[in-house]
């Protein structure tokens, strides 16, 4: 008879394994392999009954056999076999020559592309997926395709940013026959009959109790990086409950990381909380602390590779799926700034800076934040006139232009300087309805200038049909934000090469922001695209040249 | 205004004024080549070892002959030497004064004819260090 080192059984509801007994040295080994068992715990130990744990337990018990009933042994072996089968299937699905065998009830004339089918099939099997396809590859359509294909995913909840709610309804209804309801309150009310319910992320906080009823079978988080602050916030806590009571979890974002790589852990808590383990483990094994409660990923490429190998994240670039979009040129322009604006705040800045280095801990923190806010705003204001002149140059050369900024003070200057161009405003100060109106005015050609907030554009579709030139009048601390902005222009439907100008100064907050942006962008890219080599940026100034030429032609023509 | 300068420059380039012709001297041409290469490359900024590996890859890719880790004195090793140009890589976290002093020591060495600091530190360099031309490339910009 085989020597056994303890005993194990499935719980009566079949959701977990209970290790009732284990010899001390085997307990030590178990805790090393399964960190979710607290180090100080004594048997019984509890482990989830899922494919990954079943496989690990199966392997562990070959070295240290545990007493187990015949029926439970069969369950364990089944879990292990399913795991292997699933891995094999995932590999098959993700082969380049994969031919989708499913069918989806779409509206006439609509169809899913093979790479969208791949994501759908992976999600149907794995039940959790972070879809990181590059902006413009139709992630929303992939989600809609999934909901049509998988009947067990309905009714479905979608959680998105406020400005995306309407677009979700329009896209799903144009693509499928699913009925969509837009949630319009932050508190539960009697829901009309529908297949898909679209929440704004700001509304979910009040719906926790309803989520706990298990009404929704799947959840799709659009741009889940808005949950990167974790489950400590009201929206985070509600989404955690939503995830706990749904079968399928889908995250859609091409820029999961806005700042440092540890955000990946927070996001995965909502999509697949088993992928990266508990925070203490994650912190110990993957991160190093950089102070102020912030963490960097020690080996970003390894993290990115791991997530892909687990099929927890799927990401394709436009080139991977054979989409040939015109290249994007990112041109950094060093511009002049208004010295008067800067000197006016210098005294105040100096006082704050002294406080930030010498005062008490709490004061230091608030002084440093205040200084940061003030410096950014001052930098924005100091270059606002030049940025306006730059935008004017482009518009007068006959170009439609999006101008990105952040501070109201800066928008005011732009509006004043460019009043004759009647810019459309799409910023944090406008309601969702007014933003739509502004977008429509720009798209219909009533104005050639759209002033947009850096942070209110993620996901907006349609601008690519009207414009291929963007200007960053101010910088954001997160490289992901810049990327999101550029993807508004660089997406399917764009027919011209996109040019993005970054207007920066050599003073104020721009130089340190650019330093930090470099570090963050480098880390984020190695996680999401671990296998890209060193990229050399193409600085195609031919577009700029053409614009200047046209501009000069018009000027001479007018003179 | 510098914006106008840029406009003029753009117009000048329309008139086909060769940019390289003005640089003069083979070494300066090489320096401009290096500055352009490094400034536009997305170099891994997670640590200096990986950054150096990327620079090596870029130089090899561009067909530029270089030496790695050239020992100048007992304590000083410059990251790369390309012809007479010493290239040093420094990532954020390094102390600026320390970096500057290090460059001063490199500059005293007869093999070093000019210096190129590639870094994501917000710092500048004087045009000459110990009588040798000094250049600075900002590494963060390519990631914008």
């Amino acid at each position: 008879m085989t020597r056994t080192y303890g005993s194990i059984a499935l719980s009566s509801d079949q959701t977990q394994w209970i290790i009732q007994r284990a010899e001390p040295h085997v307990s030590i080994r178990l805790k090393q392999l399964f960190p979710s068992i607290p180090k100080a715990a004594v048997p019984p130990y509890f482990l989830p009954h899922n494919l990954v744990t079943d496989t690990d337990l199966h392997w562990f018990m070959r070295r240290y056999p545990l007493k187990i009933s015949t029926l439970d042994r069969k369950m364990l072996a089944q879990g292990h076999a399913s795991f292997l089968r699933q891995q094999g299937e995932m590999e098959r699905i993700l082969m380049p020559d994969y031919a989708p065998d499913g069918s989806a009830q779409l509206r006439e004339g609509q169809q899913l592309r093979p790479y969208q089918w791949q994501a759908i099939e992976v999600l149907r099997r794995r039940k959790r997926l972070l879809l990181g396809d590059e902006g413009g590859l139709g992630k929303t359509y992939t989600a809609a395709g999934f909901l049509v294909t998988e009947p067990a995913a309905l009714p479905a909840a979608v959680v998105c940013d406020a400005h995306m709610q309407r677009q979700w309804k329009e896209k799903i209804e144009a693509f499928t026959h699913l009925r969509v309801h837009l949630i319009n309150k932050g508190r539960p009310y009697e829901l009309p009959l529908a297949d898909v319910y679209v929440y704004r992320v700001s509304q979910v906080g009040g719906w926790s109790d309803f989520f706990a009823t298990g009404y929704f079978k799947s959840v799709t988080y659009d741009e889940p990086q808005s949950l990167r602050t974790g489950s400590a916030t009201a929206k985070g806590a509600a989404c955690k409950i939503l995830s706990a009571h749904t079968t399928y979890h889908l995250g859609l974002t091409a820029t999961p990381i806005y700042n440092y790589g540890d955000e990946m852990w927070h996001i995965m808590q909502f999509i697949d909380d088993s992928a990266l383990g508990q925070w203490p483990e994650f912190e110990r094994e993957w991160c190093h602390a950089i102070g102020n409660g912030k963490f960097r990923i020690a080996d970003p490429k390894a993290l990115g590779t791991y997530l892909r190998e687990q099929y927890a994240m799927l990401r394709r670039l436009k080139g991977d799926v054979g989409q040939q979009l015109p290249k994007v040129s990112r041109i950094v322009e060093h511009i002049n700034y208004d010295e008067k604006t800067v000197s006016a705040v210098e005294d105040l800045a100096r006082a704050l800076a002294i406080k930030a280095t010498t005062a008490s801990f709490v004061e230091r923190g608030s002084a440093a934040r205040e200084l940061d806010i003030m410096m950014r705003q001052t930098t924005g204001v100091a270059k606002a006139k030049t940025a306006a002149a730059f935008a004017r140059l482009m518009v007068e050369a006959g170009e439609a232009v999006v101008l990105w900024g952040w501070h109201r003070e800066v928008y005011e200057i732009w509006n004043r300087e460019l009043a004759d161009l009647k810019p459309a405003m799409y910023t944090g100060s406008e309601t969702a309805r007014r933003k739509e109106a502004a977008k429509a005015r720009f798209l219909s050609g009533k104005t050639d200038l759209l002033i947009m907030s850096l942070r209110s554009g993620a996901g907006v579709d349609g601008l690519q049909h009207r414009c291929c030139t963007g200007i960053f009048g101010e910088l954001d601390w997160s490289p992901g934000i810049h990327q999101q902005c550029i993807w508004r222009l660089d997406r399917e439907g764009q027919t011209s090469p996109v040019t993005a100008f970054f207007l920066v100064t050599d003073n104020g907050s721009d130089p340190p922001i650019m330093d930090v942006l470099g570090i963050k962008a480098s880390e984020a890219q190695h996680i999401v695209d671990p296998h890209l080599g060193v990229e050399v940026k193409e600085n195609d100034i031919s577009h700029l040249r053409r614009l200047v030429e046209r501009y000069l032609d018009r000027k001479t023509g007018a003179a | 205004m510098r914006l106008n300068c840029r406009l003029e420059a753009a117009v000048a380039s329309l008139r086909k004024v060769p940019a390289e012709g003005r640089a003069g001297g083979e070494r300066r041409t090489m320096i401009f080549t290096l500055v352009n290469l490094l400034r536009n490359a997305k170099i891994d900024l997670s640590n200096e070892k990986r950054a150096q590996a990327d620079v090596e890859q870029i130089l090899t890719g561009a067909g530029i002959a270089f030496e790695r880790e050239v020992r100048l004195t007992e304590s000083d090793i410059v990251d790369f030497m390309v012809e007479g140009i010493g290239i040093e890589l420094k990532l954020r976290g390094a102390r600026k004064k320390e970096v500057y002093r290090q460059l001063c020591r490199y500059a005293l060495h007869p093999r070093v004819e000019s210096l190129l600091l590639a870094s994501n530190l917000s710092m500048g360099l004087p045009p000459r260090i110990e009588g040798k031309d000094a250049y600075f490339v900002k590494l963060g910009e390519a990631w914008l």
Side-chain angles (χ1 to χ4, degrees):
Chain A
M1 198 182 135
T2 325
R3 152 106 159 87
T4 54
Y5 297 83
S7 64
I8 186 168
L10 257 184
S11 62
S12 53
D13 62 353
Q14 305 222 326
T15 59
Q16 47 186 359
W17 292 104
I18 305 171
I19 298 171
Q20 296 119 331
R21 194 172 54 77
E23 291 181 15
H25 71 286
V26 174
S27 275
I28 293 172
R29 285 278 184 266
L30 267 172
K31 287 172 188 171
Q32 283 168 342
L33 187 62
F34 299 102
S36 62
I37 305 177
K39 286 278 181 282
V42 292
Y45 304 133
F46 301 92
L47 290 170
H49 171 41
N50 59 37
L51 301 192
V52 175
T53 314
D54 289 3
T55 305
D56 286 349
L57 267 175
H58 186 267
W59 168 78
F60 184 86
M61 283 166 60
R62 281 170 60 185
R63 174 70 182 86
Y64 298 105
L66 303 174
K67 201 172 158 216
I68 185 169
S69 73
T70 319
L71 191 63
D72 288 354
R73 184 185 298 282
K74 217 170 137 194
M75 296 294 280
L76 187 71
Q78 264 175 13
H80 172 56
S82 311
F83 175 80
L84 294 180
R85 198 171 49 243
Q86 200 187 57
Q87 293 294 101
E89 247 178 282
M90 297 289 190
E91 270 172 38
R92 183 180 66 84
I93 292 168
L94 293 176
M95 291 296 273
D97 56 353
Y98 171 70
D101 40 17
S103 68
Q105 293 290 316
L106 302 175
R107 277 190 194 272
E108 206 176 326
Q110 303 288 1
Q111 60 174 348
L112 284 160
R113 300 176 184 144
Y115 70 89
Q116 292 172 326
W117 267 115
Q118 288 177 321
I120 291 171
E121 292 302 331
V122 168
L123 175 60
R124 289 181 67 190
R125 285 167 179 77
R126 207 179 169 282
K127 301 192 168 61
R128 280 132 181 69
L129 179 68
L130 180 62
L131 182 60
D133 285 351
E134 203 179 0
L137 286 187
K139 291 188 287 293
T140 312
Y141 294 119
T142 307
F146 164 72
L147 296 176
V148 173
T149 318
E150 182 55 68
L154 299 178
V158 171
V159 180
C160 64
D161 285 342
H163 65 277
M164 295 300 295
Q165 204 185 17
R166 186 158 294 280
Q167 193 170 303
W168 264 94
K169 184 175 164 73
E170 287 165 5
K171 281 194 172 179
I172 294 181
E173 287 179 346
F175 194 60
T176 70
H177 296 282
L178 295 175
R179 293 157 300 171
V180 183
H181 172 70
L182 301 184
I183 300 294
N184 52 39
K185 286 198 185 90
R187 299 250 156 263
Y189 55 90
E190 196 166 333
L191 292 176
L193 196 62
D195 302 306
V196 184
Y197 298 83
V198 186
Y199 285 85
R200 303 176 180 196
V201 70
S202 54
Q203 291 169 330
V204 294
W207 286 76
S208 308
D209 293 342
F210 182 75
F211 293 156
T213 62
Y215 179 77
F216 296 118
K217 303 297 175 252
S218 72
V219 54
T220 299
Y221 296 107
D222 186 22
E223 309 292 349
Q225 62 272 27
S226 59
L227 299 170
R228 64 186 179 277
T229 42
S231 51
T233 55
K235 60 183 178 188
C239 288
K240 197 82 184 106
I241 294 172
L242 181 55
S243 292
H245 292 86
T246 41
T247 316
Y248 295 94
H249 309 160
L250 172 62
L252 306 176
T253 175
T255 51
I257 298 161
Y258 266 3
N259 296 298
Y260 292 105
D262 60 320
E263 287 175 4
M264 191 52 116
W265 184 85
H266 293 287
I267 289 167
M268 289 313 284
Q269 290 314 295
F270 300 98
I271 294 161
D272 183 356
D273 58 4
S274 67
L276 293 175
Q278 312 271 327
W279 173 254
E281 290 158 38
F282 183 77
E283 183 193 327
R284 193 175 61 234
E285 304 298 339
W286 289 103
C287 303
H288 64 245
I290 53 169
N292 273 343
K294 292 178 182 161
F295 297 86
R296 283 183 63 184
I297 300 297
D299 190 345
K301 283 189 182 172
L303 179 59
T305 309
Y306 167 77
L307 286 170
R308 286 171 173 233
E309 282 176 1
Q310 296 291 311
Y311 305 106
M313 174 167 170
L314 186 59
R315 173 174 170 87
R316 281 76 56 95
L317 301 180
K318 289 175 184 133
D320 298 340
V321 300
Q323 256 196 33
Q324 295 296 331
L325 284 186
K327 277 244 177 300
V328 179
S329 303
R330 295 160 168 242
I331 298 175
V332 180
E333 284 287 333
H334 290 261
I335 61 167
N336 264 345
Y337 70 104
D338 178 6
E339 286 186 30
K340 263 186 273 168
T341 328
V342 176
S343 60
V345 293
E346 255 177 11
D347 291 338
L348 187 53
R350 196 172 297 123
L352 275 173
I354 292 169
K355 217 179 195 180
T357 45
T358 58
S360 75
F361 181 73
V362 176
E363 278 181 321
R364 264 200 326 257
S366 72
R369 276 191 297 278
E370 211 177 311
L371 182 65
D372 168 45
I373 293 167
M374 199 175 71
M375 280 312 290
R376 269 188 75 196
Q377 182 177 326
T378 311
T379 307
V381 168
K383 57 184 186 178
K385 281 195 178 171
T386 318
F390 196 90
R392 173 182 295 282
L393 172 98
M394 297 289 155
V395 172
E396 289 185 353
E399 200 74 4
V401 171
V402 180
L403 176 60
W404 288 290
W406 179 244
H407 292 97
R408 285 207 182 96
E409 290 72 9
V410 174
Y411 299 146
E412 260 171 45
I413 297 174
W414 289 348
N415 267 312
R416 204 163 54 232
E417 294 286 315
L418 302 166
D420 54 317
L421 302 178
K422 302 194 173 56
M425 298 294 292
Y426 195 108
T427 72
S429 310
E430 284 78 36
T431 57
R433 194 180 298 269
R434 284 179 58 200
K435 279 184 197 158
E436 278 304 312
K439 184 176 144 189
R441 200 154 74 79
F442 179 67
L443 292 184
S444 64
K446 289 189 180 123
T447 175
D448 289 324
L449 181 62
L450 179 67
I451 294 178
M452 206 167 179
S453 159
L454 283 162
R455 295 212 171 205
S456 58
V460 174
D461 194 32
L463 300 182
Q464 74 273 23
H465 301 299
R466 168 85 169 103
C467 131
C468 62
T469 306
I471 302 171
F472 288 94
E474 289 190 84
L475 292 182
D476 195 277
W477 278 106
S478 302
I481 297 273
H482 296 148
Q483 183 58 66
Q484 281 289 354
C485 290
I486 291 173
W487 275 329
R488 293 319 108 222
L489 311 181
D490 173 33
R491 58 198 293 120
E492 222 184 333
Q494 179 59 267
T495 49
S496 313
V498 172
T499 309
F501 294 97
F502 289 85
L503 305 184
V504 302
T505 69
D506 297 329
N507 296 76
S509 61
D510 280 356
I513 289 189
M514 283 201 285
D515 294 346
V516 173
L517 281 175
I519 295 173
K520 290 178 177 173
S522 161
E523 183 166 320
Q525 171 159 339
H526 290 120
I527 294 175
V528 295
D529 295 314
H531 306 303
L532 283 184
V534 193
E535 249 183 300
V536 177
K537 210 169 67 159
E538 282 182 49
N539 266 346
D540 181 11
I541 60 161
S542 58
H543 178 58
L544 177 65
R545 249 184 235 183
R546 267 197 314 278
L547 284 175
V548 170
E549 252 175 315
R550 251 193 289 170
Y551 176 74
L552 292 176
D553 280 354
R554 290 196 181 198
K555 284 278 148 179
T556 29
Chain B
M1 221 165 69
R2 283 176 68 183
L3 174 66
N4 287 339
C5 291
R6 180 63 194 249
L7 254 179
E8 276 163 26
V11 174
S13 65
L14 291 175
R15 290 193 196 112
K16 290 187 191 145
V17 177
E20 280 186 13
R22 285 181 311 230
E26 266 179 37
R27 199 173 66 237
R28 288 192 64 180
T29 314
M30 175 53 88
I31 286 183
F32 286 125
T33 310
L34 290 173
V35 167
N36 263 328
L37 266 178
L38 297 179
R39 199 176 56 192
N40 290 320
K42 294 186 169 182
I43 291 169
D44 190 335
L45 301 176
S46 57
N47 73 43
E48 266 174 32
K49 283 278 164 275
R50 291 196 197 116
Q52 286 169 2
D54 282 0
V55 171
E56 191 171 333
Q57 201 183 325
I58 293 161
L59 292 178
T60 313
I64 296 172
F66 61 89
E67 288 175 71
R68 271 301 296 269
E69 312 265 338
V70 177
R71 184 171 286 278
L72 298 176
T73 66
E74 271 296 292
S75 57
D76 289 324
I77 301 173
V78 67
D79 291 334
F80 294 88
M81 283 292 291
V82 175
E83 296 167 10
I85 307 160
I87 306 175
E88 182 67 16
L89 230 81
K90 279 282 175 244
L91 294 193
R92 219 171 137 94
R95 294 163 54 127
K96 293 174 194 171
K97 272 189 190 162
E98 198 48 55
V99 173
Y100 180 67
R101 278 200 287 268
Q102 203 178 357
L103 293 177
C104 291
R105 292 199 302 274
Y106 291 173
L108 291 171
H109 197 274
R111 267 199 75 181
V112 177
E113 292 163 31
S114 13
L115 278 166
L116 178 58
L117 173 66
S119 173
N120 61 342
L121 287 162
S122 334
M123 68 182 282
L125 289 180
R128 293 174 80 77
I129 298 178
E130 303 288 348
K132 310 276 172 78
D133 287 340
Y135 299 87
F136 179 77
V137 185
K138 198 161 173 50
L139 287 183
E141 246 179 57
W143 284 103
L144 269 185

